[in-house]
């Protein structure tokens, strides 16, 4: 018998209640804390002696095993991933330590010092690089060329058809991927460190009662891979949600290089440029897909900002093959977000998962 959506929701609620009861949180007050662009959502649980967070990641659409694996790695390096209080991988439930509401996004909105927060985020990436050991990568996939190309392709699969009104031709797609292959092949070979991939102010939490880099809590890292250390620098400093002054970006990159003098700063900057453009192209595609496929037009409001990052990235000499493709197929001087497929506006802001 095929279950209706209502039946599936009822069964899911029963599994959730059993999990919480077994964990000792069955009588806790529960309210939605956050939902993102995936099928996961998070509830805050409150009872007399404290709070916790329930991750609800329904199989087969979601898998909590990668989250648990990466959380263990991060905790082992002394970094503030949420502690896992109890988990049920088969049914997709995880009970987590509650790191609180002081995301960097909220702290900044309340007047928090931008340089201090970004410096802490850079220092955490430095610590991650220094504490990482190659043997830690054994159970994780590489951020290799096929993965990077598949992500870059999202722009021509979703955004280009949305703004031209026609599917991307096979020839145009082949030219696009060939240009990207030239640019990404060197950086795709790097196996330097754990790449968290969604390392930005929405997923960082200020923990004032902890010391050093442990004062920066980490969220939404279940899609981590092994690759170039430059990727998370890009995630932090070329943000789809907020504008960051170029002088602050330069200051933070310099902080990174001073803390890691053994690294080739010129190579880091080249990787930063290549991965920055790749990430921006991917995000433009993802935000369009969220509207066209998933009925979530609110993400379109960020596309103009990301297109500005694309235009800036295309000026780098090493990215000339990709710049030439854009010149032929998608001139960006007048490019903008597509109209919402629903015909409605793009109100509000929401948490994006961009992996």
């Amino acid at each position: 018998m095929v279950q209706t959506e209502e039946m599936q929701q009822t069964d899911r609620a029963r599994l959730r209640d059993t999990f919480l009861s077994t964990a000792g949180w069955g009588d806790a007050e529960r309210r939605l804390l956050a939902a993102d662009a995936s099928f996961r959502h998070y509830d805050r649980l409150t009872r007399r002696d404290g709070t916790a967070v329930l991750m609800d990641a329904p199989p087969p659409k979601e898998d909590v095993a990668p989250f648990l694996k990466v959380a263990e790695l991060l905790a082992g390096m002394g970094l503030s991933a949420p502690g896992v209080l109890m988990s049920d991988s088969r049914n997709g439930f995880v009970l987590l330590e509650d790191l609180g509401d002081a995301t960097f996004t909220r702290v900044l909105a309340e007047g928090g010092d931008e340089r201090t927060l970004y410096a802490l985020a850079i220092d955490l990436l430095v610590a991650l690089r220094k504490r990482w050991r190659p043997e830690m990568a054994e159970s994780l996939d590489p951020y290799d060329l096929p993965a990077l190309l598949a992500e870059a392709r999202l722009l021509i699969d979703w955004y280009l058809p949305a703004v031209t009104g026609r599917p991307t031709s096979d020839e145009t797609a082949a030219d696009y991927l060939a240009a990207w292959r030239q640019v990404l092949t060197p950086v795709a070979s790097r196996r330097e460190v754990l790449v968290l991939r969604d390392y930005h102010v929405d997923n960082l939490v200020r923990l004032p009662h902890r010391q050093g880099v442990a004062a920066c809590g980490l969220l939404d890292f279940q899609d981590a891979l092994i690759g170039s250390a430059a990727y998370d620098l890009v995630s932090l400093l070329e943000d789809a949600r907020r504008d960051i002054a170029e002088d602050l970006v330069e200051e933070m990159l310099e902080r990174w290089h001073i803390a890691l003098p053994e690294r080739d700063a010129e190579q880091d900057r080249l990787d930063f440029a290549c991965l920055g453009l790749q990430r921006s192209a991917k995000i433009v595609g993802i935000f369009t897909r969220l509207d066209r496929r998933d009925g979530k037009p609110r993400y379109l409001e960020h596309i103009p900002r990301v297109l500005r990052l694309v235009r800036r990235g295309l000026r780098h000499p090493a990215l000339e093959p990709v710049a030439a493709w854009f010149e032929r197929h998608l001139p960006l001087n007048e490019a903008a977000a597509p109209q919402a497929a629903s015909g409605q506006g793009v109100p509000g802001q929401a948490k994006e998962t961009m992996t």
Side-chain angles (χ1 to χ4, degrees):
M1 183 180 70
V2 177
Q3 283 192 319
T4 66
E5 183 176 352
E6 183 178 358
M7 293 169 64
Q8 290 174 347
Q9 291 175 349
T10 299
D11 287 348
R12 186 77 188 152
R14 187 179 301 114
L15 288 170
R16 179 200 65 219
D17 292 345
T18 300
F19 173 76
L20 290 177
S21 179
T22 303
W25 286 79
D27 59 348
E29 178 187 350
R30 181 172 56 86
R31 65 177 179 83
L32 181 65
L33 179 62
D36 57 33
S38 72
F39 293 97
R40 292 185 306 274
H41 71 267
Y42 301 84
D43 292 335
R44 171 166 284 141
L45 309 174
T46 304
R47 62 185 189 186
R48 290 181 181 179
D49 59 345
T51 63
V53 171
L54 172 68
M55 177 196 292
D56 184 338
K61 297 173 180 176
E62 298 290 335
D63 180 8
V64 301
F67 177 92
L68 296 171
K69 182 193 312 178
V70 178
E72 184 178 5
L73 276 174
L74 293 170
M77 288 186 281
L79 303 177
S80 291
V84 177
L85 307 178
M86 182 174 169
S87 64
D88 176 358
S89 296
R90 179 181 177 182
N91 290 311
F93 296 109
V94 183
L95 188 64
L96 295 166
E97 171 191 13
D98 186 358
L99 296 183
D101 293 322
T103 64
F104 282 20
T105 299
R106 291 183 179 179
V107 176
L108 288 166
E110 293 167 1
D113 185 74
E114 186 179 44
R115 276 179 167 76
T116 299
L117 291 172
Y118 275 90
L120 176 58
I122 291 292
D123 292 348
L124 188 148
L125 291 180
V126 169
L128 177 59
R129 182 67 193 94
K130 288 182 174 180
R131 299 172 189 179
W132 182 254
R133 298 292 178 268
E135 59 269 21
M136 297 177 180
E138 291 178 357
S139 60
L140 294 169
D141 293 330
Y143 212 170
D144 56 14
L145 185 61
L148 290 166
L149 289 176
E151 292 177 348
R153 181 172 182 132
L154 292 169
L155 180 139
I156 58 171
D157 286 345
W158 293 96
Y159 176 74
L160 186 60
V163 296
T164 63
R166 59 183 183 274
T168 301
S169 70
D170 291 343
E171 181 180 3
T172 299
D175 288 348
Y176 180 79
L177 294 175
W180 272 115
R181 192 171 286 108
Q182 290 184 61
V183 167
L184 291 173
T185 294
V187 72
S189 67
R190 313 231 191 280
R191 303 289 180 266
E192 295 180 326
V193 74
L194 183 73
V195 180
L196 301 175
R197 298 178 74 196
D198 273 328
Y199 190 79
H200 51 73
V201 292
D202 272 3
N203 289 333
L204 304 177
V205 183
R206 186 74 174 95
L207 305 173
H209 301 300
R210 300 187 187 182
Q211 300 300 311
V213 295
C216 181
L218 295 167
L219 305 175
D220 203 9
F221 44 73
Q222 63 279 339
D223 296 313
L225 297 171
I226 307 301
S228 168
Y231 192 91
D232 283 338
L233 291 172
V234 167
S235 300
L236 178 68
L237 299 175
E238 293 195 352
D239 197 324
R241 287 146 304 277
R242 66 187 308 268
D243 297 317
I244 306 171
E246 289 190 27
D247 65 336
L248 180 60
V249 172
E250 285 300 314
E251 182 182 333
M252 293 301 117
L253 289 175
E254 186 65 17
R255 187 181 185 92
W256 164 264
H257 293 136
I258 289 172
L260 296 165
E262 71 279 7
R263 293 186 65 83
D264 184 333
E266 184 177 347
Q267 186 64 64
D268 270 351
R269 286 184 176 270
L270 177 57
D271 288 357
F272 185 94
C274 294
L275 292 172
L277 184 59
Q278 184 269 356
R279 181 173 168 82
S280 292
K282 170 180 73 171
I283 292 170
V284 169
I286 287 174
F287 286 178
T288 308
R289 183 178 67 185
L290 283 165
D291 170 61
R292 292 302 194 266
R293 187 190 71 182
D294 302 332
K296 299 177 179 180
R298 61 185 179 272
Y299 294 91
L300 296 178
E301 70 178 69
H302 300 299
I303 286 181
R305 176 183 294 107
V306 184
L307 288 174
R308 291 196 296 272
L309 293 173
V310 171
R311 284 192 287 268
R312 187 173 73 188
L314 290 173
R315 296 198 295 265
H316 195 288
L319 298 171
E320 192 280 331
V322 179
W325 181 90
F326 272 90
E327 185 64 28
R328 292 193 302 271
H329 299 287
L330 184 59
L332 289 174
N333 55 327
E334 296 182 2
Q339 290 294 313
S342 64
Q344 299 174 358
V346 290
Q349 293 185 341
K351 182 177 183 290
E352 297 93 354
T353 295
M354 295 177 293
T355 51

